[in-house]
Amino acid sequence: MKILHVSCSPRGQASESYRISQKIIEVLLKREPTAKLANRVIGDGAISHIDESYATALGATRQSFAEIFPKGSMSQSEELIQELESADFLVIGTPMHNFTVPSVLKAWIDHIVRVRRTFDSTKEGYVGRLRDRPVFVAVSSGGRYSGERARQPDFLTPYLKAILGIIGLHDLTVFSIEGTALGPDAVVEARNRADQAIEDHFRSFVVRSHSVDQQT
Ligand SMILES: Cc1cc2nc3c(=O)[nH]c(=O)nc-3n(C[C@H](O)[C@H](O)[C@H](O)COP(=O)(O)O)c2cc1C
């Protein structure tokens, strides 16, 4: 068993999204004590944006075109995809930036959502190539975007659901800590809510073994 933790906050281990991610990972490790944890820290901008050869290869109509460009972003993409493929659980800890995912997470997505590698574009639509597996997303935001006190839109959650769904990851659970900029009392309230949501969710969570049917 392997847990992949993608950590997206520039504040690293001091961040709220990291804190919730750790709670999720703790529970998973209690259930699966022998599971290995892989940490992919990208919040500091460790993943570069995709380069010209990668964009050219993805825009080409033939698979072989990608093989002509094994360097640059293509090798980084391959490394990140293989890391994801080998994981049984994916935990993403991310802040909300400007109503959506931070640019570092978008850069990771640009590397792992690759046509003819992690999904196919068919006449019927997009078909994911990765086997499904539980994905847990821990989102931290300065303001609130859900419930009666919401004051802003949320393009992060629907976007992640849509884009990960394309590559075959549909089993998504989102935990949020909302209102971190609204003062210490709001932070305590938000932390308690997030912790409770995690506890409630995992009380009935059963580790299912998704079938290994990936076609790479
Ligand atoms: C560039 C930037 C953009 C942000 N945009 C939003 C936003 O759209 N909505 C929001 O509620 N908070 C926004 N925030 C605040 C962060 O989401 C908030 O501080 C969050 O708790 C940070 O999470 P972290 O502790 O995991 O880094 C933004 C912060 C930064 C630095």
Side-chain angles (χ1 to χ4, degrees):
M1 281 274 178
K2 185 172 145 193
I3 302 165
L4 172 62
H5 176 209
V6 179
S7 166
C8 308
S9 171
R11 301 192 322 117
Q13 297 191 5
S15 71
E16 293 293 339
S17 50
Y18 183 86
R19 186 188 157 276
I20 322 178
S21 301
Q22 289 308 306
K23 292 256 167 196
I24 297 166
I25 291 165
E26 262 172 41
V27 181
L28 289 173
L29 285 173
K30 258 189 205 151
R31 297 281 178 96
E32 296 288 332
T34 57
K36 299 259 181 304
L37 176 64
N39 285 301
R40 173 60 69 171
V41 179
I42 62 171
D44 56 359
I47 297 181
S48 55
H49 287 286
I50 54 138
D51 62 17
E52 183 190 351
S53 65
Y54 184 85
T56 305
L58 263 63
T61 49
R62 290 182 298 117
Q63 169 79 45
S64 59
F65 214 94
E67 288 152 14
I68 300 169
F69 294 103
K71 58 184 169 54
S73 296
M74 194 57 83
S75 59
Q76 169 94 88
S77 164
E78 198 49 42
E79 180 189 338
L80 296 172
I81 289 170
Q82 285 180 20
E83 183 174 63
L84 175 58
E85 282 175 333
S86 68
D88 301 286
F89 300 99
L90 171 62
V91 179
I92 299 175
T94 182
M96 171 182 275
H97 280 175
N98 296 313
F99 304 156
T100 187
V101 294
S103 58
V104 290
L105 179 51
K106 179 59 169 51
W108 181 78
I109 289 167
D110 288 343
H111 284 86
I112 59 132
V113 180
R114 174 153 47 107
V115 69
R116 298 182 295 272
R117 177 63 178 85
T118 52
F119 77 97
D120 288 307
S121 181
T122 72
K123 279 186 190 145
E124 288 72 40
Y126 297 126
V127 180
R129 284 197 187 189
L130 299 195
R131 75 183 149 84
D132 204 1
R133 72 208 74 200
V135 179
F136 301 100
V137 186
V139 184
S140 173
S141 60
R144 297 190 182 100
Y145 58 82
S146 71
E148 283 176 4
R149 295 179 291 174
R151 294 289 178 275
Q152 61 184 329
D154 169 22
F155 296 108
L156 188 157
T157 320
Y159 171 65
L160 272 186
K161 281 185 182 159
I163 200 69
L164 294 177
I166 281 184
I167 59 173
L169 306 184
H170 304 283
D171 185 0
L172 210 84
T173 307
V174 180
F175 300 102
S176 65
I177 172 155
E178 300 178 43
T180 61
L182 303 178
D185 291 347
V187 174
V188 171
E189 182 196 325
R191 282 182 177 173
N192 289 342
R193 272 168 174 266
D195 292 352
Q196 189 62 53
I198 292 169
E199 205 180 306
D200 291 347
H201 178 79
F202 283 100
R203 200 173 294 127
S204 56
F205 178 74
V206 178
V207 176
R208 294 187 301 276
S209 65
H210 291 271
S211 60
V212 182
D213 58 353
Q214 88 206 20
Q215 319 145 28
T216 53

